């Protein structure tokens, strides 16, 4: 079997750092290859044309192109032609693409198309209660209409997306997966006392505006507490500020440090050093970094919205709290900072939870079965 993965981001050597979409796609691609499935990745909107192979995955970089008119349409058709050529040349059985921005709108592939719900613009607009541009909705709707099957990382994301677009086809829920062997923490009892870690884009929808108030309450009871934030800064859509970090920096009482982007290979060391990890996000489909922290046996305080309830059992493998409830969120953090045994137990349970639900060595077979059901070969 040969699978084609169409995406705008895929972490390869020398590439700009990818977010959760790129990480989850690469995890799947590499594991599929280990299972004897051939994988070609078609990374569009790149700065060069190139074909390379890494970890036995064939990666086709497709350069961005500008046209005098209708670039949004003509570039899509260019990519469509390129992928269809590879479908016939290399006998690709199934093509998969994400829902974000509806890139496959106006495209017709010579193989079945799977759309995976990584989170459309419409999905995030609904969760954030903000208006979506009509153009974006149309692109995403058209893309979904052309799909032969849908996959969602959570039931929550699948149901919300289906309601937004009035989809008639049922979705298949397959959780994102990670390779547990890459997230080992042999000494979970060793950490920096009081270090609270946030990893993710510094943006309103990720709940970072809640953190100054939460940290004030935590520090009042645990003076050694300090917050470290890792991730790209972002403009704030509500205020027009060019930097979300600059908006909130002064609100911290000297108990927070922003490191900006950190190379992916270094993130694990920050996870090992962390006492507690916090993810107060208001909008997510699943949350790769939450799973990675749990795999490292870190106690997590996470938002309690629908998707998160499929990741964590509250009070057992982490805590689920409404990020707007600063009192309870800070209380949960303090309860972990002040109780080493509780940290150890929840961290151990978190690792077991990830192994049970999000181990790519297990979830990969669910993907293969889906592809087989669509493949003509």
């Amino acid at each position: 079997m040969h699978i084609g993965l169409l995406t705008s981001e895929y972490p390869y050597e020398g590439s700009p750092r990818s977010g959760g979409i790129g990480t989850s796609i690469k995890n799947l691609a590499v594991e599929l290859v280990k299972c004897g499935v051939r994988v070609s990745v078609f990374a569009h909107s790149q700065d060069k044309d190139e074909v390379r192979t890494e970890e036995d995955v064939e990666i086709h970089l497709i350069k961005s192109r500008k046209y005098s008119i209708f670039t949004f349409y003509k570039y899509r058709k260019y990519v469509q032609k390129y992928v269809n050529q590879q479908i016939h040349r290399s006998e690709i059985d199934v093509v998969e693409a994400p829902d974000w921005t509806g890139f496959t709108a106006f495209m017709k592939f010579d193989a079945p198309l799977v759309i995976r719900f990584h989170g459309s613009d419409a999905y995030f607009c609904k969760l954030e209660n903000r208006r979506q541009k009509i153009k974006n909705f149309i692109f995403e709707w058209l893309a979904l209409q052309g799909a032969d099957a849908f996959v969602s990382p959570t039931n929550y994301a699948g149901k919300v997306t289906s309601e937004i677009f009035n989809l008639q086809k049922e979705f298949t829920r397959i959780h994102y997966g990670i390779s547990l062997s890459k997230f080992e923490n042999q000494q979970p009892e060793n950490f920096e006392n009081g270090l609270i870690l946030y990893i993710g884009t510094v943006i309103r929808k990720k709940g970072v505006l809640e953190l100054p108030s939460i940290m004030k309450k935590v520090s009042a009871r645990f003076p050694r507490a300090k917050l470290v934030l890792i991730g790209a800064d972002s403009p704030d859509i509500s205020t027009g500020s060019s930097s979300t970090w600059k908006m909130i920096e002064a609100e911290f009482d000297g108990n927070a440090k922003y490191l900006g982007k950190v190379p992916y290979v270094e993130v694990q060391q920050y996870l090992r050093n962390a006492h507690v990890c916090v993810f107060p996000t208001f909008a997510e489909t699943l949350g790769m970094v939450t799973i990675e922290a749990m795999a490292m046996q870190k106690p997590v305080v996470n938002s309690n919205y629908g998707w998160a309830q499929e990741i964590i059992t509250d009070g057992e493998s982490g805590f689920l709290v409404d990020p707007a409830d600063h009192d309870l969120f800070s209380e949960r953090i303090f309860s972990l900072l002040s109780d080493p045994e509780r940290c150890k137990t929840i961290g151990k349970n978190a690792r077991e939870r990830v192994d049970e639900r999000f181990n790519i060595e297990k979830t990969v077979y669910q993907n293969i079965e889906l592809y087989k059901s669509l493949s003509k070969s």
Side-chain angles (χ1 to χ4, degrees), residues 13-24:
E13 186 176 350
S15 67
R17 189 183 185 283
S18 294
I21 291 179
T23 299
S24 64

Side-chain angles (χ1 to χ4, degrees), residues 193-318:
N193 191 25
L195 175 59
I196 302 166
L197 182 65
Y198 166 88
I199 302 174
T201 304
V202 179
I203 190 171
R204 181 182 292 266
K205 72 179 182 181
K206 296 290 188 179
V208 296
L209 272 64
E210 314 303 316
L211 289 174
S213 175
I214 290 169
M215 281 302 299
K216 286 178 183 178
K217 296 177 182 296
V218 172
S219 295
R221 302 177 67 185
F222 200 93
R224 291 191 302 276
K226 67 176 181 179
L227 173 69
V228 170
L229 301 95
I230 293 175
D233 195 5
S234 176
D236 182 59
I237 194 169
S238 297
T239 64
S241 172
S242 61
S243 167
T244 300
W245 169 246
K246 292 299 181 183
M247 284 176 52
I248 62 175
E249 182 179 13
E251 297 181 33
F252 289 105
D253 295 330
N255 56 4
K257 184 178 182 180
Y258 174 49
L259 301 182
K261 293 182 181 180
V262 169
Y264 190 69
V265 293
E266 297 178 19
V267 170
Q268 283 196 24
Q269 190 54 49
Y270 285 101
L271 281 169
R272 288 189 184 91
N273 289 341
H275 195 158
V276 176
C277 293
V278 293
F279 304 105
T281 180
F282 289 106
E284 202 67 75
T285 53
L286 183 66
M288 288 296 294
V289 71
T290 299
I291 298 169
E292 292 172 352
M294 293 169 67
M296 297 285 284
Q297 301 189 53
K298 291 300 164 180
V300 169
V301 183
N302 203 88
S303 62
N304 66 344
Y305 293 98
W307 68 86
Q309 295 168 22
E310 298 179 50
I311 305 175
I312 294 169
T313 301
D314 187 32
E316 181 179 313
S317 49

Side-chain angles (χ1 to χ4, degrees), residues 8-229:
S8 62
E9 58 177 85
Y10 186 87
Y12 58 87
E13 186 176 350
S15 67
R17 189 183 185 283
S18 294
I21 291 179
T23 299
S24 64
I25 292 173
K26 182 169 185 176
N27 289 346
L28 176 59
V30 171
E31 199 63 32
L32 284 169
V33 168
K34 290 179 182 178
C35 292
V37 177
R38 184 178 174 188
V39 177
S40 293
V41 171
F42 301 101
H44 64 83
S45 306
Q46 303 298 303
D47 59 4
K48 60 183 174 181
D49 289 314
E50 183 183 331
V51 179
R52 56 168 69 194
T53 300
E54 293 182 9
E55 298 180 89
D56 295 322
V57 176
E58 190 175 85
I59 306 167
H60 297 250
L61 304 182
I62 307 174
K63 185 178 180 179
S64 296
R65 282 164 170 80
K66 296 292 185 181
Y67 301 88
S68 57
I69 57 172
F70 302 129
T71 292
F72 72 91
Y73 177 80
K74 291 183 177 180
Y75 183 61
R76 281 174 164 85
K77 301 308 283 187
Y78 175 85
V79 173
Q80 172 193 290
K81 181 179 179 181
Y82 184 92
V83 173
N84 278 336
Q85 287 173 343
Q86 297 303 316
I87 287 172
H88 294 286
R89 185 176 300 158
S90 303
E91 298 182 333
I92 293 174
D93 297 291
V94 177
V95 174
E96 178 181 310
D99 52 350
W100 174 251
T101 72
F103 186 73
T104 55
F106 313 111
M107 291 185 180
K108 177 64 178 175
F109 297 110
D110 297 334
L113 173 64
V114 176
I115 296 289
R116 195 174 297 258
F117 299 159
H118 290 278
S120 63
D121 183 49
Y123 174 84
F124 285 117
C125 283
K126 181 176 178 62
L127 296 192
E128 296 175 68
N129 195 29
R130 59 182 174 85
R131 292 174 63 88
Q132 184 187 21
K133 294 179 180 178
I134 296 297
K135 171 178 67 70
N136 292 354
F137 179 85
I138 292 173
F139 285 168
E140 290 179 341
W141 183 84
L142 286 171
L144 292 168
Q145 297 309 303
D148 296 285
F150 303 121
V151 180
S152 178
T154 57
N155 284 322
Y156 179 86
K159 289 175 181 177
V160 171
T161 301
S162 295
E163 290 170 3
I164 291 170
F165 295 102
N166 192 28
L167 300 178
Q168 301 306 304
K169 294 188 185 77
E170 293 292 324
F171 65 87
T172 300
R173 190 206 70 179
I174 304 177
H175 291 313
Y176 295 148
I178 65 171
S179 176
L180 267 69
S181 63
K182 295 181 179 179
F183 292 89
E184 295 287 352
N185 186 7
Q186 300 297 336
Q187 296 178 307
E189 68 280 3
N190 292 345
F191 51 79
E192 185 176 336
N193 191 25
L195 175 59
I196 302 166
L197 182 65
Y198 166 88
I199 302 174
T201 304
V202 179
I203 190 171
R204 181 182 292 266
K205 72 179 182 181
K206 296 290 188 179
V208 296
L209 272 64
E210 314 303 316
L211 289 174
S213 175
I214 290 169
M215 281 302 299
K216 286 178 183 178
K217 296 177 182 296
V218 172
S219 295
R221 302 177 67 185
F222 200 93
R224 291 191 302 276
K226 67 176 181 179
L227 173 69
V228 170
L229 301 95

